[in-house]
Amino acid sequence: MRPTDCLDGPRLARCLWLAILLSASPLASADAPQWMTLPQAPGQDGVQVALTKAEGGSPRSPVVVFLHGSCGTEPYQLGSFEQWSRWFAARGIATLLVDSYRGRGLDGSLVCRTDASPGWLGKRADDAARAIDWVLTTDWVDVDRVLVFGESQGGRSALALAFRSKRRYPTVGMYINCPQDYWKTHDAMSDFPPSLVILGELDALAPPERCRTFLSELRAKGGNADAISLVVMPGAYHAFDFPGISGRFSIGRVEYSGAATEASRKEVGAFLARLGWSSR
């Protein structure tokens, strides 16, 4: 992309979003992710993951498979992951961050510029499935307690996994842009997994009304829309749990909110309780 490419409307939005991300300095942390490459069959793309083990020394722990947003594991996203992983670890739950770009030799900031979400959703759902397949072979995971957690495009990818997989894993989606008119061209699902969708009231990138429409259309076709809990955080914008982020551009605003982040933790904790996962 040339500098002059940032002068048109759609690209301007992406360039300004990218500028916000690249202006960040990485958060210093003793718990910085340690990356490993998943086993791959001939012809498969490389996928890297970073594991945070649970606290407490339990021989087998639940695991959350964490999917990043469209710009990859940039500093703000890593800040969000580190805070969530510590929160889960303190509750005896491991986290596995799946990086769909790093193992393919791609720069997430460049993928972010292309706005290529539709083409990536299927790939990223497959990456999540590979990560789950791998983690289920380990001797430390509770195979009956696996949850998929995605932010922004990662949340859409988690939905895509639910659409594509015969296995139904509970899902948490943060500020996701729900697909439009999906149920007009697809059969309604009667076995949608228990899911929690958390949105920002003022999020112009992922407007809550789109998810309300998604659920109402699923319900109208006889699907089990009640399996999906929708929670809207008052006064919150996109990426509200990215520590320190703040910026405005032509299609919306991103801004950290400590209040919305804390409230989302409580919602996730309640969701885990409904799933029957013990919480400390």
Side-chain angles (χ1 to χ4, degrees):
M1 180 179 284
R2 300 163 302 179
T4 53
D5 288 338
C6 287
L7 298 179
D8 70 62
R11 287 176 179 168
L12 175 61
R14 294 198 295 273
C15 290
L16 290 176
W17 168 241
L18 182 63
I20 293 169
L21 296 180
L22 296 184
S23 67
S25 59
L27 298 176
S29 172
D31 302 321
Q34 300 298 309
W35 297 99
M36 60 166 285
T37 302
L38 290 177
Q40 58 193 104
Q44 275 189 321
D45 290 331
V47 174
Q48 292 199 356
V49 297
L51 172 66
T52 303
K53 285 287 192 76
E55 297 176 6
S58 174
R60 289 189 177 270
S61 63
V63 64
V64 170
V65 176
F66 194 102
L67 308 180
H68 59 70
S70 62
C71 291
T73 51
E74 45 75 30
Y76 286 118
Q77 176 70 86
L78 285 180
S80 174
F81 169 71
E82 289 176 3
Q83 289 197 353
W84 276 110
S85 65
R86 288 195 293 269
W87 186 86
F88 281 117
R91 287 155 181 80
I93 301 170
T95 48
L96 188 71
L97 172 59
V98 182
D99 191 326
S100 288
Y101 303 154
R102 183 185 300 263
R104 291 180 169 94
L106 299 174
D107 182 337
S109 65
L110 298 179
V111 179
C112 187
R113 295 184 198 185
T114 67
D115 197 27
S117 296
W120 274 101
L121 294 178
K123 291 180 182 179
R124 299 198 58 203
D126 290 343
D127 293 348
R130 282 177 60 189
I132 293 170
D133 287 343
W134 171 77
V135 81
L136 291 179
T137 68
T138 66
D139 60 2
W140 53 265
V141 70
D142 181 341
V143 298
D144 294 320
R145 292 191 291 174
V146 176
L147 181 144
V148 184
F149 186 117
E151 298 192 320
S152 195
Q153 190 201 78
R156 278 289 300 273
S157 301
L159 285 182
L161 178 63
F163 298 153
R164 296 158 64 98
S165 176
K166 294 181 180 180
R167 295 174 294 180
R168 299 287 183 244
Y169 296 107
T171 297
V172 174
M174 302 281 287
Y175 36 86
I176 65 176
N177 193 353
C178 285
Q180 299 302 284
D181 301 324
Y182 184 86
W183 303 116
K184 293 181 179 179
T185 56
H186 295 78
D187 293 334
M189 293 175 61
S190 59
D191 59 347
F192 209 95
S195 299
L196 173 65
V197 175
I198 303 177
L199 306 170
E201 178 190 20
L202 305 180
D203 189 346
L205 285 80
E209 191 57 36
R210 292 189 179 183
C211 286
R212 294 190 183 103
T213 299
F214 175 81
L215 291 181
S216 65
E217 291 177 351
L218 172 60
R219 185 174 290 108
K221 290 193 70 172
N224 64 329
D226 292 340
I228 306 173
S229 300
L230 181 63
V231 177
V232 179
M233 294 295 163
Y237 295 93
H238 201 72
F240 61 75
D241 63 340
F242 279 29
I245 199 168
S246 179
R248 184 187 298 275
F249 50 103
S250 61
I251 60 172
R253 181 180 180 88
V254 292
E255 183 174 300
Y256 175 73
S257 167
T261 298
E262 181 59 28
S264 68
R265 303 256 199 271
K266 293 180 180 178
E267 292 291 343
V268 172
F271 180 62
L272 295 177
R274 293 196 295 273
L275 293 176
W277 291 26
S278 60
S279 180
R280 298 177 188 170

